[in-house]
Amino acid sequence: MPFSAQPPASGEPYVLTASLDNARHLSSILRAVHFQDHATCFATANGLRVTVEDAKCIQANAFIQAEIFQEYAVQEESVTFRINLSVLLDCLTIFGTSSLPGTSTALRMCYRGYGYPLMLFLEEGGVVTVCKINTQEPDQLLDFDFCSTKVVNKIILQSEGLREAFAELDMTSEVLQITMSPDKPYFRLSTFGNAGSAHLDYPRDSDLMETFHCNQTQTNRYKISLLKPSTKALALSCKVSIRTDAQGFLSLQYMIRNEDGQICFVEYYCCPDEDITEAEM
Amino acid sequence: MWCELCQGNFFDEFQMEGVAAEHNEIYLELVPENLSRALKTAQSAKAVKIKLTNKHCPCLRVAVELPSLSSSSRIVTHDIPVGVIPRRLWNDFREPSVPDFDVSIYLPVLKTMKSVVERMKNLSNSIVIEANLNGEMNLKIETDLVSVTTHFKDLGNPPWTSEDGCQSSAQDRDLESMAEARIDIKKLQQLLAGQQVNPTKALCNIVSKRIVHFILLHEDVSLQYFIPALA
């Protein structure tokens, strides 16, 4: 085997090293935020965060905790780099996306530091793939400053309930209007498309409703095109938390359980569309 | 691309007459899709009859006899228009001679190779394929964004018995040294996508920087692909 194919031994000067027995745990969660080519990776001792943004209006974060990895080490307080997410996903799934039961792709990831490429070593059935993905200058990321004290309304739903709803949403509508209220209709999704308006109501005592904390009636609109990418995360998730703050910013947190039963999170932040007039309410 | 079928393995009845006794061959050109469409109904057929006819124009008639419960069976007939290639052009359709290759190696499981090449195709237009006589083969791409190398090992090299000593160049070769060729990745991907099953034998011959030659043997069908190297 040529020297380049040897995974580096630990103790070499890498600021980030991580190993996974099953690369799919990483690739499936990254696919949930893959709506733009580029992503910013942010690694700390707690784990890895991958952030994707679009049009300064939406931000998606995938969190992969350190515990998910079999080996995980960060030599500095934090390590940040920008990377082409499409390329990273192609590399992670080089041996195919649907692996047979009993076979999995092992992964070792190394990053030497600023200016160096991200190295991936993948192995399946004795076949080794080495990838060198060039890293880029990190972007200035949006700060949605969504802390729990500012949250006005919060709902936790079983994802299956929302999956059906999103599959049936009228995509000819430009916006999705979300109403959260301590009174009826409690939680309402509305669209205004070519064929007319549609409202979808979830009563607060629904079996799908895990938590219902609404303090105030809020009606906000969000560009449906911006929310569409989040359906990828919705499809994988088991639970979703929907929160809004006083300014109408939306936070969607998806809890994703991987094949080994470990929990990961994907989070979407979206800013509201322009104010709505009284008549439309 | 070169495909060879042994007629005895497929046909109960086989009859033909070439242009002349000393050139007992027929060369026809047709649209492959037409033939595959004609054979689609043949999946549950009792019998298939292929016949060269000349009704309005030269046609290859595929008559598919479908099973039925009653005594009269249903027959689906397709007439596939064909062009008859005149003898002066036959030379263009000769099987290319296999050049003296530097390395000959058995291919890995084609499914693995297919998914690797499919991902690499998303990243690059060309691929470097290299192998040595030590059973190792690498697939490599390199672009501004990324470089990816997949290493296969323990593949084994077929023992080529040199009949006339013309393959001796491969036998004197250093085991470790790689022969490589850069080829169009789309052509390699098409080859791999066309393979529905893993053939019983698949091998790859590389002539350094000139050509990659693939031979796939499956049951009684042999397929040969020649992919020239890019400059």
Side-chain angles (χ1 to χ4, degrees):
Chain A
M1 191 187 280
F3 179 71
S4 63
Q6 301 279 353
S10 47
E12 281 186 48
Y14 288 100
V15 296
L16 169 69
T17 48
S19 318
L20 256 181
D21 286 347
N22 190 349
R24 281 227 286 171
H25 293 168
L26 184 61
S27 60
S28 67
I29 197 157
L30 292 185
R31 211 171 292 125
V33 296
H34 182 215
F35 60 90
Q36 283 283 301
D37 263 352
H38 289 93
T40 305
C41 298
F42 182 75
T44 63
N46 293 327
L48 187 67
R49 190 187 76 199
V50 178
T51 305
V52 182
E53 290 183 347
D54 188 21
K56 301 264 180 232
C57 290
I58 188 154
Q59 182 183 74
N61 293 297
F63 296 97
I64 307 103
Q65 289 101 302
E67 295 79 58
I68 304 280
F69 296 96
Q70 270 68 50
E71 191 200 335
Y72 184 86
V74 182
Q75 302 306 332
E76 290 167 11
E77 202 177 311
S78 72
V79 175
T80 314
F81 55 89
R82 186 173 182 258
I83 200 160
N84 187 312
L85 186 59
S86 310
V87 171
L88 177 60
L89 276 168
D90 274 326
C91 290
L92 287 173
T93 55
I94 191 113
F95 294 116
T97 41
S98 57
S99 67
L100 296 164
T103 61
S104 62
T105 309
L107 165 71
R108 188 177 169 83
M109 206 159 67
C110 307
Y111 176 58
R112 198 181 274 266
Y114 184 84
Y116 283 95
L118 179 71
M119 305 280 296
L120 302 180
F121 301 88
L122 297 126
E123 187 267 346
E124 187 177 307
V127 183
V128 176
T129 298
V130 183
C131 310
K132 261 188 235 172
I133 310 172
N134 289 342
T135 55
Q136 301 154 355
E137 196 75 39
D139 278 333
Q140 188 69 47
L141 294 176
L142 298 173
D143 182 6
F144 277 82
D145 191 25
F146 208 100
C147 61
S148 50
T149 52
K150 291 182 183 167
V151 170
V152 176
N153 292 318
K154 176 181 175 179
I155 288 172
I156 298 178
L157 274 177
Q158 303 264 0
S159 294
E160 50 179 301
L162 211 56
R163 269 200 287 273
E164 282 171 34
F166 264 86
E168 286 175 17
L169 279 185
D170 179 4
M171 286 297 172
T172 62
S173 170
E174 232 177 75
V175 292
L176 174 69
Q177 181 175 295
I178 300 180
T179 305
M180 289 162 110
S181 163
D183 309 304
K184 242 185 148 185
Y186 307 113
F187 178 52
R188 168 176 278 187
L189 303 173
S190 314
T191 52
F192 310 93
N194 298 340
S197 310
H199 301 287
L200 228 139
D201 291 354
Y202 292 80
R204 65 176 296 176
D205 56 359
S206 156
D207 290 343
L208 299 166
M209 201 71 81
E210 292 238 329
T211 310
F212 187 87
H213 291 300
C214 290
N215 305 311
Q216 189 185 312
T217 302
Q218 265 190 315
T219 301
N220 290 301
R221 288 184 163 191
Y222 306 93
K223 282 239 179 329
I224 219 163
S225 57
L226 291 176
L227 290 179
K228 220 179 163 193
S230 79
T231 50
K232 287 186 184 176
L234 181 63
L236 293 170
S237 67
C238 48
K239 283 180 197 177
V240 53
S241 137
I242 303 160
R243 301 179 300 163
T244 51
D245 71 3
Q247 290 169 282
F249 281 88
L250 177 70
S251 146
L252 298 166
Q253 286 176 321
Y254 297 95
M255 189 169 109
I256 296 172
R257 202 185 293 273
N258 70 20
E259 294 153 57
D260 291 354
Q262 296 158 314
I263 305 282
C264 292
F265 288 94
V266 167
E267 189 175 62
Y268 275 87
Y269 292 118
C270 186
C271 57
D273 210 23
E274 78 284 90
D275 288 334
I276 44 171
T277 57
E278 291 285 309
E280 285 174 312
M281 285 179 77
Chain B
M1 184 184 140
W2 207 260
C3 178
E4 223 171 271
L5 286 85
C6 182
Q7 55 101 344
N9 293 321
F10 289 89
F11 303 106
D12 296 329
E13 210 186 311
F14 188 90
Q15 238 184 74
M16 67 153 278
E17 209 172 292
V19 242
E22 67 269 30
H23 299 284
N24 196 17
E25 286 177 287
I26 305 176
Y27 287 68
L28 301 173
E29 62 181 352
L30 53 83
V31 181
E33 207 197 320
N34 287 344
L35 186 60
S36 91
R37 205 178 302 153
L39 291 172
K40 213 155 252 170
T41 40
Q43 272 165 358
S44 56
K46 254 167 52 183
V48 179
K49 203 191 247 174
I50 303 173
K51 205 170 156 187
L52 184 60
T53 55
N54 196 353
K55 230 181 188 177
H56 307 291
C57 64
C59 282
L60 200 59
R61 168 170 293 179
V62 179
V64 178
E65 192 182 339
L66 295 167
S68 73
L69 293 171
S70 65
S71 55
S72 62
S73 57
R74 292 168 297 157
I75 293 178
V76 180
T77 309
H78 290 261
D79 281 323
I80 303 166
V82 291
V84 180
I85 294 164
R87 232 180 70 195
R88 63 189 154 81
L89 295 178
W90 284 11
N91 266 333
D92 298 347
F93 296 91
R94 295 269 169 236
E95 179 176 349
S97 63
V98 181
D100 262 13
F101 40 80
D102 295 301
V103 166
S104 175
I105 192 164
Y106 286 116
L107 286 175
V109 181
L110 290 191
K111 223 180 118 238
T112 312
M113 201 169 148
K114 186 177 150 195
S115 52
V116 169
V117 172
E118 251 162 35
R119 305 290 154 212
M120 287 182 169
K121 195 193 64 158
N122 296 341
L123 304 170
S124 172
N125 296 323
S126 69
I127 185 169
V128 173
I129 180 164
E130 60 174 20
N132 63 18
L133 293 173
N134 202 22
E136 294 168 342
M137 184 180 89
N138 301 329
L139 300 174
K140 298 197 289 194
I141 58 156
E142 201 163 342
T143 68
D144 297 344
L145 283 172
V146 64
S147 68
V148 181
T149 310
T150 297
H151 304 268
F152 296 91
K153 53 176 186 171
D154 304 327
L155 297 175
N157 303 86
W160 286 97
T161 46
S162 51
E163 295 146 20
D164 47 3
C166 74
Q167 300 300 354
S168 60
S169 63
Q171 269 154 17
D172 297 338
R173 216 182 144 80
D174 171 20
L175 286 181
E176 300 284 328
S177 80
M178 292 276 180
E180 62 154 62
R182 177 183 295 276
I183 55 174
D184 183 342
I185 197 161
K186 277 201 207 86
K187 287 186 180 141
L188 181 60
Q189 193 252 337
Q190 278 165 4
L191 184 168
L192 294 166
Q195 299 311 309
Q196 307 278 341
V197 277
N198 212 32
T200 37
K201 248 184 203 151
L203 40 106
C204 164
N205 300 322
I206 301 174
V207 184
S208 234
K209 296 191 167 65
R210 271 188 52 212
I211 203 163
V212 187
H213 171 219
F214 294 92
I215 308 176
L216 308 178
L217 295 170
H218 183 68
E219 284 160 14
D220 301 304
V221 184
S222 78
L223 274 166
Q224 286 187 67
Y225 296 85
F226 295 84
I227 304 180
L230 299 173

PDB file of all heavy atoms in Angstrom, chain B residues 28-35 60 80-83:
ATOM      1  N   LEU B  28     -25.123  -5.748 -39.844  1.00  0.00           N
ATOM      2  CA  LEU B  28     -26.310  -4.904 -39.838  1.00  0.00           C
ATOM      3  C   LEU B  28     -26.137  -3.819 -38.795  1.00  0.00           C
ATOM      4  O   LEU B  28     -25.565  -4.062 -37.732  1.00  0.00           O
ATOM      5  CB  LEU B  28     -27.550  -5.729 -39.474  1.00  0.00           C
ATOM      6  CG  LEU B  28     -27.894  -6.916 -40.362  1.00  0.00           C
ATOM      7  CD1 LEU B  28     -29.031  -7.702 -39.738  1.00  0.00           C
ATOM      8  CD2 LEU B  28     -28.278  -6.441 -41.754  1.00  0.00           C
ATOM      9  N   GLU B  29     -26.660  -2.617 -39.096  1.00  0.00           N
ATOM     10  CA  GLU B  29     -26.655  -1.604 -38.040  1.00  0.00           C
ATOM     11  C   GLU B  29     -28.093  -1.293 -37.648  1.00  0.00           C
ATOM     12  O   GLU B  29     -28.990  -1.273 -38.497  1.00  0.00           O
ATOM     13  CB  GLU B  29     -25.892  -0.342 -38.460  1.00  0.00           C
ATOM     14  CG  GLU B  29     -26.441   0.396 -39.646  1.00  0.00           C
ATOM     15  CD  GLU B  29     -25.603   1.616 -39.998  1.00  0.00           C
ATOM     16  OE1 GLU B  29     -24.693   1.955 -39.210  1.00  0.00           O
ATOM     17  OE2 GLU B  29     -25.869   2.221 -41.040  1.00  0.00           O
ATOM     18  N   LEU B  30     -28.297  -1.104 -36.335  1.00  0.00           N
ATOM     19  CA  LEU B  30     -29.649  -0.815 -35.856  1.00  0.00           C
ATOM     20  C   LEU B  30     -29.576   0.035 -34.599  1.00  0.00           C
ATOM     21  O   LEU B  30     -28.517   0.211 -34.008  1.00  0.00           O
ATOM     22  CB  LEU B  30     -30.417  -2.117 -35.589  1.00  0.00           C
ATOM     23  CG  LEU B  30     -29.795  -3.184 -34.676  1.00  0.00           C
ATOM     24  CD1 LEU B  30     -30.042  -2.890 -33.219  1.00  0.00           C
ATOM     25  CD2 LEU B  30     -30.371  -4.544 -35.025  1.00  0.00           C
ATOM     26  N   VAL B  31     -30.729   0.570 -34.223  1.00  0.00           N
ATOM     27  CA  VAL B  31     -30.810   1.378 -33.017  1.00  0.00           C
ATOM     28  C   VAL B  31     -31.003   0.412 -31.836  1.00  0.00           C
ATOM     29  O   VAL B  31     -31.989  -0.314 -31.799  1.00  0.00           O
ATOM     30  CB  VAL B  31     -32.001   2.367 -33.101  1.00  0.00           C
ATOM     31  CG1 VAL B  31     -32.078   3.226 -31.851  1.00  0.00           C
ATOM     32  CG2 VAL B  31     -31.894   3.235 -34.341  1.00  0.00           C
ATOM     33  N   PRO B  32     -30.066   0.381 -30.877  1.00  0.00           N
ATOM     34  CA  PRO B  32     -30.136  -0.617 -29.804  1.00  0.00           C
ATOM     35  C   PRO B  32     -31.441  -0.559 -29.021  1.00  0.00           C
ATOM     36  O   PRO B  32     -31.978  -1.586 -28.599  1.00  0.00           O
ATOM     37  CB  PRO B  32     -28.958  -0.271 -28.893  1.00  0.00           C
ATOM     38  CG  PRO B  32     -28.134   0.710 -29.610  1.00  0.00           C
ATOM     39  CD  PRO B  32     -28.900   1.259 -30.751  1.00  0.00           C
ATOM     40  N   GLU B  33     -31.965   0.648 -28.865  1.00  0.00           N
ATOM     41  CA  GLU B  33     -33.194   0.799 -28.097  1.00  0.00           C
ATOM     42  C   GLU B  33     -34.341   0.023 -28.733  1.00  0.00           C
ATOM     43  O   GLU B  33     -35.190  -0.530 -28.039  1.00  0.00           O
ATOM     44  CB  GLU B  33     -33.534   2.283 -28.012  1.00  0.00           C
ATOM     45  CG  GLU B  33     -34.332   2.644 -26.792  1.00  0.00           C
ATOM     46  CD  GLU B  33     -34.993   3.991 -26.951  1.00  0.00           C
ATOM     47  OE1 GLU B  33     -34.358   4.900 -27.496  1.00  0.00           O
ATOM     48  OE2 GLU B  33     -36.160   4.104 -26.526  1.00  0.00           O
ATOM     49  N   ASN B  34     -34.364   0.009 -30.072  1.00  0.00           N
ATOM     50  CA  ASN B  34     -35.425  -0.721 -30.776  1.00  0.00           C
ATOM     51  C   ASN B  34     -35.390  -2.201 -30.445  1.00  0.00           C
ATOM     52  O   ASN B  34     -36.429  -2.827 -30.240  1.00  0.00           O
ATOM     53  CB  ASN B  34     -35.274  -0.543 -32.286  1.00  0.00           C
ATOM     54  CG  ASN B  34     -35.673   0.846 -32.731  1.00  0.00           C
ATOM     55  OD1 ASN B  34     -36.333   1.566 -31.980  1.00  0.00           O
ATOM     56  ND2 ASN B  34     -35.253   1.231 -33.911  1.00  0.00           N
ATOM     57  N   LEU B  35     -34.199  -2.747 -30.385  1.00  0.00           N
ATOM     58  CA  LEU B  35     -34.061  -4.167 -30.101  1.00  0.00           C
ATOM     59  C   LEU B  35     -34.469  -4.458 -28.657  1.00  0.00           C
ATOM     60  O   LEU B  35     -35.171  -5.436 -28.383  1.00  0.00           O
ATOM     61  CB  LEU B  35     -32.624  -4.615 -30.354  1.00  0.00           C
ATOM     62  CG  LEU B  35     -32.372  -6.112 -30.233  1.00  0.00           C
ATOM     63  CD1 LEU B  35     -33.222  -6.902 -31.231  1.00  0.00           C
ATOM     64  CD2 LEU B  35     -30.896  -6.440 -30.446  1.00  0.00           C
ATOM     65  N   LEU B  60     -35.134  -6.407 -39.251  1.00  0.00           N
ATOM     66  CA  LEU B  60     -34.916  -7.578 -38.439  1.00  0.00           C
ATOM     67  C   LEU B  60     -36.251  -7.835 -37.741  1.00  0.00           C
ATOM     68  O   LEU B  60     -36.722  -7.002 -36.968  1.00  0.00           O
ATOM     69  CB  LEU B  60     -33.809  -7.289 -37.417  1.00  0.00           C
ATOM     70  CG  LEU B  60     -33.103  -8.493 -36.799  1.00  0.00           C
ATOM     71  CD1 LEU B  60     -32.444  -9.351 -37.867  1.00  0.00           C
ATOM     72  CD2 LEU B  60     -32.055  -8.023 -35.809  1.00  0.00           C
ATOM     73  N   ILE B  80     -37.729  -4.330 -36.924  1.00  0.00           N
ATOM     74  CA  ILE B  80     -36.736  -3.308 -36.592  1.00  0.00           C
ATOM     75  C   ILE B  80     -35.977  -2.937 -37.853  1.00  0.00           C
ATOM     76  O   ILE B  80     -35.339  -3.799 -38.461  1.00  0.00           O
ATOM     77  CB  ILE B  80     -35.750  -3.834 -35.535  1.00  0.00           C
ATOM     78  CG1 ILE B  80     -36.513  -4.289 -34.281  1.00  0.00           C
ATOM     79  CG2 ILE B  80     -34.712  -2.786 -35.178  1.00  0.00           C
ATOM     80  CD1 ILE B  80     -35.680  -5.121 -33.326  1.00  0.00           C
ATOM     81  N   PRO B  81     -36.084  -1.667 -38.262  1.00  0.00           N
ATOM     82  CA  PRO B  81     -35.351  -1.280 -39.472  1.00  0.00           C
ATOM     83  C   PRO B  81     -33.839  -1.414 -39.259  1.00  0.00           C
ATOM     84  O   PRO B  81     -33.320  -1.034 -38.206  1.00  0.00           O
ATOM     85  CB  PRO B  81     -35.746   0.182 -39.687  1.00  0.00           C
ATOM     86  CG  PRO B  81     -36.322   0.642 -38.396  1.00  0.00           C
ATOM     87  CD  PRO B  81     -36.804  -0.549 -37.654  1.00  0.00           C
ATOM     88  N   VAL B  82     -33.170  -1.977 -40.235  1.00  0.00           N
ATOM     89  CA  VAL B  82     -31.717  -2.126 -40.129  1.00  0.00           C
ATOM     90  C   VAL B  82     -31.054  -1.612 -41.396  1.00  0.00           C
ATOM     91  O   VAL B  82     -31.684  -1.527 -42.450  1.00  0.00           O
ATOM     92  CB  VAL B  82     -31.305  -3.607 -39.920  1.00  0.00           C
ATOM     93  CG1 VAL B  82     -31.733  -4.105 -38.563  1.00  0.00           C
ATOM     94  CG2 VAL B  82     -31.858  -4.503 -41.029  1.00  0.00           C
ATOM     95  N   GLY B  83     -29.827  -1.257 -41.270  1.00  0.00           N
ATOM     96  CA  GLY B  83     -29.039  -0.887 -42.432  1.00  0.00           C
ATOM     97  C   GLY B  83     -28.038  -1.996 -42.693  1.00  0.00           C
ATOM     98  O   GLY B  83     -27.407  -2.485 -41.759  1.00  0.00           O
TER      99      GLY B  83
END
